[in-house]
Amino acid sequence: MQVGQAGMVWWSDRLTIWVVQQGWQKTQLGLFLIPTLVYGIMFLGQKMPKSEASEKGLSFGEMLAEIWESSEASSFALIFSFSVVVLALSTAVLPV
């Protein structure tokens, strides 16, 4: 067996032991962080493009007003507030 292959076997054994000791959920979280760190390093020094709103000089309030004017957003707000009230009333503890 060559030195490189022996090293891979040793690391795979260590990884298996670590997975068994730590549990699979912690291992999944650790493996999830590896590409996150790689992408973070890749984005360092990159210049992000400006959004259309910032190019036009719109404020945050103006953007929200534009969304609120649409009928979908206002009807969603009404349905959401109604469902919050219904949920609050249905979970209230009433004296018997």
Side-chain angles (χ1 to χ4, degrees):
M1 187 180 304
Q2 293 179 350
V3 176
Q5 292 172 338
M8 288 191 307
V9 170
W10 185 83
W11 278 109
S12 65
D13 288 345
R14 297 298 145 236
L15 181 61
T16 305
I17 292 168
W18 188 79
V19 167
V20 170
Q21 289 175 348
Q22 297 296 319
W24 180 237
Q25 291 177 339
K26 289 183 182 181
T27 305
Q28 282 180 322
L29 181 62
L31 293 175
F32 178 80
L33 292 176
I34 293 170
T36 305
L37 292 172
V38 170
Y39 279 119
I41 292 169
M42 288 171 50
F43 273 95
L44 286 176
Q46 298 294 321
K47 190 171 184 175
M48 297 297 160
K50 289 190 173 189
S51 66
E52 290 181 26
S54 64
E55 287 179 352
K56 293 178 182 178
L58 295 175
S59 69
F60 185 69
E62 291 171 334
M63 289 188 295
L64 287 180
E66 187 176 325
I67 293 172
W68 185 255
E69 289 173 359
S70 70
S71 62
E72 293 87 12
S74 56
S75 61
F76 171 76
L78 289 173
I79 292 170
F80 180 74
S81 59
F82 177 74
S83 57
V84 167
V85 169
V86 169
L87 181 66
L89 292 176
S90 66
T91 58
V93 179
L94 301 174
V96 179

